[in-house]
Amino acid sequence: MGDLSVIPLVDEGLGNSAYLVDLADGRALAVDASRDLRLLRQAAQRRGLRLAYAADTHLHADFLTGAVQLASEGATVLASAAGNREFPHTALADNDEVDLGGLTLRTLATPGHTHEHIAFAVLDGPRTLGVFSGGSLLVGSAARTDLLGPDRT
């Protein structure tokens, strides 16, 4: 398959980075998409891609996920089993793998930012092409925990 084609979509206001991954067959994977899907949809449309998967690394405290909207349009939602989401999704645990049709998405349990946080490694056979770390590793900054009460502070 070769290199991974990834389009970063940064929301400076939220401090969130979402990603559009071209799966090289007309389909795409969206990672950590916020509910405002305009930039994601524009990027996909410019490249002639259909949003087939929506992967969330964690439950976001500062915005609503766009995964629910993408699911209503036919995307498969991939998320942590520990998150107990109340909408249809493929519940994933550490080392679970999803066949994306030529690429594999492997789940890596990375609790800390949130208790159910996961990262996603994208594999081409045995070769790791990239990792989406969500809130567990931030470019140019340090990750932090979401302090969800005195018992977790």
Side-chain angles (χ1 to χ4, degrees):
M1 178 128 217
D3 294 327
L4 190 61
S5 178
V6 178
I7 298 93
L9 304 162
V10 179
D11 184 327
E12 296 291 341
L14 288 175
N16 180 61
S17 294
Y19 299 91
L20 179 69
V21 181
D22 185 341
L23 299 176
D25 62 0
R27 298 172 312 131
L29 161 71
V31 179
D32 286 336
S34 69
R35 189 163 180 201
D36 183 355
L37 296 169
R38 287 177 293 179
L39 290 177
L40 182 70
R41 286 188 173 129
Q42 289 170 0
Q45 185 177 27
R46 277 195 302 274
R47 290 160 182 81
L49 300 173
R50 178 179 64 84
L51 293 162
Y53 298 94
D56 277 341
T57 57
H58 62 293
L59 293 163
H60 303 281
D62 45 1
F63 68 88
L64 294 174
T65 180
V68 176
Q69 286 172 275
L70 293 172
S72 73
E73 299 166 8
T76 299
V77 176
L78 309 170
S80 174
N84 299 315
R85 286 159 175 80
E86 294 185 9
F87 55 87
H89 65 284
T90 300
L92 300 170
D94 191 40
N95 284 316
D96 282 350
E97 293 185 348
V98 177
D99 179 0
L100 301 177
L103 295 175
T104 300
L105 197 68
R106 179 179 294 153
T107 305
L108 307 169
T110 52
H113 180 61
T114 62
H115 75 281
E116 44 58 72
H117 195 288
I118 55 177
F120 295 104
V122 180
L123 308 171
D124 183 6
R127 186 171 156 235
T128 302
L129 301 178
V131 177
F132 296 97
S133 60
S136 67
L137 178 63
L138 305 174
V139 176
S141 185
R144 60 159 174 74
T145 58
D146 277 347
L147 304 175
L148 303 174
D151 60 318
R152 299 191 58 91
T153 302

